Amino acid sequence: MLDKASIGEPVIEMEGVSRIYQMGRVEVPALVGANLIVRQGEFVAIMGPSGSGKTTLMNLIGCLDLPDEGTYKLQGKDVNTLSDARISRLRGEGIGFVFQNYSLLPAFTALRNVQMPHYYSEGRGNRKRAMALLEQVGLGKRAKHKPLELSGGEQQRVAVARALMNDPFLLLGDEPTGNLDSASSHELMNLLEKLNRETGLTIVLVTHDSSVSARAGRVIHMRDGQIVADEVKAPGEVVSHVEGQLAAE
Amino acid sequence: MIRLINLWFALLGLGSNKLRSALTTLGVIIGVAAVIIIVSLGNGLRRSTEIQMEAWSAGTVEIRPGGMWGGPVMMVQPEAAYKEGIIAAGGEVPFEPPQPAGLTLRDVEALERLATATNGALGQVEVYGQVIYKGRSLPMGMALGVSNRYMQVYRQDLKYGRFFTEAEQESAAPVIVLDESFVKEVWGEDANPVGELLRMAMGETPQNYAVIGVLKSRQGMYGYSSRSILVPLRTAQLRLNQQGRSQNLSLIAVRVDARKSNEREYAVAQINTILRASRGLAQGTPEDYMIYDSLEYSDESARITNLMTLILSLIAGISLVVGSIGLMNIMLVMVSERTWEIGLRRAMGARQIDVMSQFLAEAALLSLVGGAIGLGIGIAGSYAASQFIEQIKGLVTVTPDVVGIAVGISAVVGIASGLYPAWRASRLQPTRALRHGT
Ligand SMILES: Nc1ncnc2c1ncn2[C@@H]1O[C@H](COP(=O)(O)OP(=O)(O)OP(=O)(O)O)[C@@H](O)[C@H]1O
Ligand SMILES: [Mg+2]
């Protein structure tokens, strides 16, 4: 259920954020002066040529990395001031990740993979919820399978289930459809779209695929470490999703 | 706060590469087993030396003839014996040619009379010849002539019969006291040969000797003294005389009950002073006898055993170090191979300390499992080895402290070799880690 007061509350607030990699003596400015606000319930796609800094931006958003310059507030908290334990907790409980490949631990069953974030949030794996999430992504029957016994599309859906395990406020995907055929890709996007629409989950995806970005409410374009365009395709539509939901209740 | 769940992750991590885990533990297994075997065998060896020394010497101080002219002289040349007479009085040693003077009963009496730090002195001679029982020649051809202090000085107990009387000593009676182990060899276990006759050809004519007593064997005692035949001192001296040999004592044993080394040193000094006086040695002349403190011997041999154990333990320790370097190497490989896994776990909310504890637990588990197997092999190996080495049979015990050492060592090895790789794992940038996989 969506609380009306929280609609449009900023989840991601970046101000002049830069990330400069140090390669020996060479400095690689992978991200330069990024300003970005993403609000609760948005579905954002990030596009851009290879090496333009998309993954760098995603890593910063996901608190897997810290900015060298500028401030980044996640849910109002400045991540640069947080301890490793606090950041890890924020990551584990507040953010779900779906990566392009190797998203799952090969030694564990699909079910165990889904349970995993719960173990790290000091939980006991909440098997019931993990099972329900697998059902939700249509893989209830594959719970006992190891990742290698699943197709690429199925693996990514398990990864989505896992990302949802701790009921995050933000879902991040770095080219989650990058290795999928168009049918599987379509299926995964349906799932994400549904999540965004029905639960108001904020989603940020990196993609090269225009058919994927076409389904996002907002597309950010990057080049040479900079955000060069921020296109809110159909602002009314995003709002109408939310309103449609509110009306339904 | 450290989460226990990481232990489970560590177990699963090891389980997913069983062969490598097994091979890694091998180094620890060998090291721990080697340490246990060496320490246990060393302990067994020390025990055996202690028992032997304790039994053999029972804390006596022994004086043997000898001195600056050479080692102990057991048998004096017939010519010399001739010159010396039955009892060569101290101080009357012929200066030319230089011969060590024999120890005499006078010296024993002087010690008995004057020494305060001792508890009884005994004179002993050795007679060689044939011993025959029921027409069969026995393998031991030696009798020890001992004075009546024997029982007191060596702390012996009787099993059967009695020891010599003063009258038997005085009259050089043909009576013998045997050791239990001798009896066992000739008559069998627990036989009582008191009243039997042994024929001994030790003088001019073979003579029958009556067995009047049997001594209890001292545990761990072996060697010539336990298998020898005891006769009264005078009896033996008479035979030596018949053989044309010196009747001088080949040994004086003095009981010193003190166990502290300064007390023993005092007793030895006192013995020396008394002997010098009784032998009439002028100031500045060297002693013509040697004093051995048997406990000092055992101290010395214990030191040698300890040193040997220490050196061997060091070698075993080196194999442990090699094992732990191997373990660290594998852990580093695992960390770099699983960089991506680490990144993924971090993305799922694992803290640095979670990653660190998982890898540390993996190293500790490998090491502890290796330590446990090594402990088993070490215990089995120690007992097996003790079966083949006669001297330490039944003396090898794997004591709790050895087990403690093994567990401690493997825990230390595990933590020492796991700490750095685990720390490295925990410091990996999650982004770097994830990039690795893609
Ligand atoms: N750890 C790093 N050390 C040094 N340079 C890096 C590092 N990570 C990224 N870079 C560089 O930063 C720039 C941006 O990289 P990034 O991975 O963000 O690009 P991207 O947009 O995700 O590209 P792609 O579409 O190929 O995934 C690139 O030039 C890259 O080489
Ligand atoms: Mg990228």
Side-chain angles (χ1 to χ4, degrees):
Chain A
M1 195 188 83
L2 217 55
D3 178 0
K4 184 149 191 170
S6 73
I7 300 170
E9 280 285 298
V11 175
I12 298 165
E13 293 168 275
M14 280 189 169
E15 228 182 290
V17 166
S18 295
R19 180 70 175 97
I20 298 138
Y21 293 113
Q22 208 71 42
M23 294 276 287
R25 290 219 190 108
V26 185
E27 291 191 338
V28 183
L31 188 69
V32 184
N35 296 307
L36 177 67
I37 292 178
V38 176
R39 294 174 187 278
Q40 151 90 53
E42 278 193 282
F43 192 151
V44 184
I46 300 174
M47 297 193 79
S50 183
S52 57
K54 304 183 295 293
T55 298
T56 304
L57 179 60
M58 284 298 276
N59 286 339
L60 288 171
I61 292 174
C63 303
L64 289 167
D65 202 0
L66 293 173
D68 293 316
E69 285 166 21
T71 54
Y72 170 37
K73 286 186 190 157
L74 183 61
Q75 277 201 322
K77 278 172 244 150
D78 186 345
V79 296
N80 259 330
T81 64
L82 299 179
S83 68
D84 172 68
R86 296 277 306 276
I87 288 184
S88 299
R89 189 183 178 126
L90 193 60
R91 234 184 353 241
E93 293 177 0
I95 307 173
F97 291 88
V98 183
F99 300 100
Q100 183 175 355
N101 22 352
Y102 306 106
S103 289
L104 304 176
L105 292 171
F108 295 82
T109 61
L111 182 63
R112 286 273 190 230
N113 267 289
V114 175
Q115 287 176 283
M116 196 62 68
H118 202 249
Y119 290 125
Y120 282 120
S121 65
E122 304 182 29
R124 299 177 161 271
N126 199 343
R127 206 186 142 91
K128 237 185 182 161
R129 174 169 167 82
M131 217 36 232
L133 285 167
L134 276 174
E135 302 276 4
Q136 192 185 332
V137 299
L139 289 171
K141 294 218 163 62
R142 304 303 199 103
K144 294 287 176 192
H145 288 246
K146 296 250 174 100
L148 285 177
E149 297 157 7
L150 300 172
S151 75
E154 287 168 335
Q155 286 185 34
Q156 288 306 68
R157 279 188 278 150
V158 173
V160 170
R162 182 192 60 202
L164 298 175
M165 185 65 198
N166 283 344
D167 196 14
F169 60 82
L170 177 62
L171 188 99
L172 301 178
D174 194 349
E175 300 183 45
T177 61
N179 283 344
L180 303 183
D181 58 40
S182 57
S184 308
S185 171
H186 190 72
E187 213 172 340
L188 191 70
M189 285 313 293
N190 284 346
L191 179 61
L192 295 182
E193 216 173 40
K194 198 168 156 229
L195 282 167
N196 174 252
R197 198 175 52 239
E198 289 179 0
T199 66
L201 178 66
T202 314
I203 298 179
V204 181
L205 293 185
V206 168
T207 183
H208 284 293
D209 187 344
S210 52
S211 73
V212 169
S213 62
R215 302 172 70 158
R218 178 178 171 193
V219 182
I220 289 169
H221 291 272
M222 294 191 68
R223 194 175 307 132
D224 299 332
Q226 285 178 309
I227 297 175
V228 290
D230 190 343
E231 154 201 7
V232 181
K233 283 190 301 182
E237 209 191 304
V238 177
V239 175
S240 78
H241 279 321
V242 177
E243 282 173 346
Q245 162 130 26
L246 286 174
E249 278 168 18
Chain B
M1 196 210 42
I2 292 168
R3 294 172 185 152
L4 216 58
I5 193 79
N6 293 308
L7 192 64
W8 182 58
F9 292 151
L11 267 172
L12 287 165
L14 294 177
S16 64
N17 205 332
K18 294 189 187 69
L19 180 64
R20 174 150 70 193
S21 304
L23 287 176
T24 310
T25 55
L26 211 54
V28 182
I29 292 175
I30 292 171
V32 169
V35 167
I36 287 188
I37 289 176
I38 284 165
V39 171
S40 305
L41 292 194
N43 280 343
L45 205 60
R46 187 164 45 239
R47 267 309 289 145
S48 120
T49 317
E50 273 167 18
I51 289 173
Q52 229 176 87
M53 281 295 169
E54 191 73 11
W56 180 45
S57 65
T60 57
V61 169
E62 299 188 344
I63 300 115
R64 291 177 188 277
M68 66 175 294
W69 293 294
V73 175
M74 299 293 185
M75 255 180 287
V76 179
Q77 296 299 311
E79 303 93 308
Y82 226 93
K83 274 188 213 155
E84 282 167 40
I86 290 173
I87 293 174
E92 287 173 14
V93 189
F95 191 74
E96 297 278 342
Q99 283 286 348
L103 298 166
T104 67
L105 272 178
R106 249 188 61 163
D107 302 323
V108 177
E109 277 154 19
L111 287 170
E112 284 275 343
R113 199 154 26 96
L114 300 171
T116 53
T118 68
N119 195 7
L122 151 93
Q124 179 180 301
V125 295
E126 289 149 23
V127 203
Y128 295 87
Q130 231 186 346
V131 182
I132 297 150
Y133 174 66
K134 287 187 172 162
R136 190 160 60 91
S137 183
L138 299 183
M140 43 297 277
M142 184 179 70
L144 296 179
V146 294
S147 49
N148 266 3
R149 285 290 205 190
Y150 186 87
M151 299 291 276
Q152 183 189 337
V153 169
Y154 284 115
R155 287 284 140 92
Q156 286 272 18
D157 291 315
L158 278 165
K159 190 174 184 199
Y160 300 119
R162 58 176 179 82
F163 203 69
F164 312 126
T165 61
E166 281 302 323
E168 281 164 345
Q169 286 280 7
E170 288 303 314
S171 64
V175 286
I176 53 183
V177 169
L178 297 171
D179 187 84
E180 195 180 344
S181 58
F182 180 100
V183 170
K184 193 173 143 189
E185 267 180 61
V186 178
W187 286 277
E189 191 100 44
D190 285 331
N192 182 354
V194 171
E196 295 271 4
L197 291 181
L198 285 184
R199 200 164 171 75
M200 299 208 283
M202 288 186 161
E204 286 161 335
T205 50
Q207 203 182 342
N208 279 334
Y209 284 74
V211 178
I212 59 161
V214 175
L215 297 177
K216 265 190 201 149
S217 273
R218 300 181 70 114
Q219 206 231 328
M221 180 157 167
Y222 52 86
Y224 82 104
S225 58
S226 69
R227 294 169 71 192
S228 57
I229 296 164
L230 301 181
V231 297
L233 181 63
R234 289 291 294 275
T235 311
Q237 283 179 321
L238 216 61
R239 302 297 162 243
L240 284 172
N241 196 30
Q242 284 170 359
Q243 289 179 345
R245 297 206 156 121
S246 162
Q247 297 163 37
N248 287 340
L249 303 176
S250 55
L251 172 80
I252 295 175
V254 185
R255 169 136 216 108
V256 176
D257 284 320
R259 283 293 187 269
K260 284 188 192 143
S261 65
N262 61 335
E263 289 171 6
R264 291 191 77 84
E265 273 161 27
Y266 173 73
V268 167
Q270 194 181 54
I271 290 166
N272 198 30
T273 311
I274 293 167
L275 280 179
R276 284 189 73 93
S278 106
R279 302 182 64 73
L281 297 179
Q283 261 207 335
T285 46
E287 284 90 18
D288 54 357
Y289 54 84
M290 295 205 224
I291 303 180
Y292 308 91
D293 185 351
S294 53
L295 272 194
E296 211 168 79
Y297 258 136
S298 66
D299 271 7
E300 185 63 25
S301 73
R303 238 197 316 278
I304 291 169
T305 319
N306 280 345
L307 191 68
M308 257 172 52
T309 310
L310 187 72
I311 291 169
L312 288 173
S313 305
L314 277 179
I315 295 171
I318 289 171
S319 72
L320 255 178
V321 169
V322 172
S324 77
I325 290 172
L327 180 56
M328 186 189 287
N329 187 33
I330 293 292
M331 289 311 297
L332 285 171
V333 170
M334 286 217 240
V335 168
S336 75
E337 266 183 8
R338 287 156 62 188
T339 303
W340 153 81
E341 174 193 328
I342 295 162
L344 185 56
R345 286 183 182 277
R346 299 277 277 135
M348 292 188 293
R351 301 162 303 169
Q352 289 181 336
I353 193 150
D354 290 317
V355 173
M356 177 134 177
S357 15
Q358 181 185 336
F359 279 88
L360 201 54
E362 286 192 18
L365 280 171
L366 280 178
S367 185
L368 281 177
V369 167
I373 297 173
L375 179 65
I377 293 177
I379 291 174
S382 302
Y383 283 116
S386 74
Q387 289 306 302
F388 292 114
I389 305 171
E390 184 64 34
Q391 273 171 307
I392 52 173
K393 210 167 213 163
L395 291 177
V396 171
T397 46
V398 178
T399 46
D401 52 309
V402 173
V403 177
I405 288 170
V407 174
I409 283 174
S410 44
V412 167
V413 162
I415 289 167
S417 26
L419 210 52
Y420 175 63
W423 181 81
R424 282 248 308 231
S426 75
R427 296 293 135 157
L428 274 174
Q429 266 290 330
T431 55
R432 288 276 300 278
L434 286 167
R435 184 173 296 274
H436 211 84
T438 47

